[in-house]
Amino acid sequence: MSRVLLVDPDRAGLAALQAALGAAGFRDVSTVTSASFALTMLERNRPDLIVSRVGVPDIDGYELCSIVRKDPLMTGVLFLLLASPGDEAAATMPDDK
């Protein structure tokens, strides 16, 4: 079964996402409330999928995705960004230089 990491500063949002994934059959779901803590978690446990809100205060979801994409150890990790009304939407993802 796939390992999932959820990143959302809203604890209620995390609980809802975790419940939805559990109902879909995902059993190995970790949750964090900040992108910096997500980066710490990634050092210990490589997920198959990262689901992150765009509006994470410490490091926004776009930047977190860029950091993950630049890490050769994270090759193949899927990344899903969730935007809410009012989140600043980027026209394109940051360059993967």
Side-chain angles (χ1 to χ4, degrees):
M1 186 53 61
S2 297
R3 184 174 302 141
V4 180
L5 175 61
L6 302 177
V7 185
D8 191 332
D10 176 26
R11 291 185 190 280
L14 278 175
L17 286 170
Q18 190 171 25
L21 288 170
F26 292 89
R27 299 290 173 241
D28 191 357
V29 179
S30 300
T31 62
V32 294
T33 57
S34 73
S36 55
F37 192 52
L39 292 172
T40 300
M41 293 282 292
L42 292 174
E43 292 174 7
R44 294 186 217 144
N45 202 2
R46 181 186 182 272
D48 300 300
L49 170 65
I50 299 169
V51 179
S52 177
R53 293 302 242 180
V54 168
V56 179
D58 58 342
I59 302 171
D60 74 30
Y62 297 113
E63 183 64 22
L64 177 61
C65 182
S66 179
I67 292 168
V68 169
R69 291 286 173 250
K70 291 177 184 175
D71 185 342
L73 296 175
M74 295 293 128
T75 300
V77 173
L78 301 174
F79 204 106
L80 176 65
L81 283 170
L82 302 176
S84 297
D87 282 341
E88 189 174 317
T92 59
M93 288 296 298
D95 292 335
D96 288 335
K97 295 180 185 177

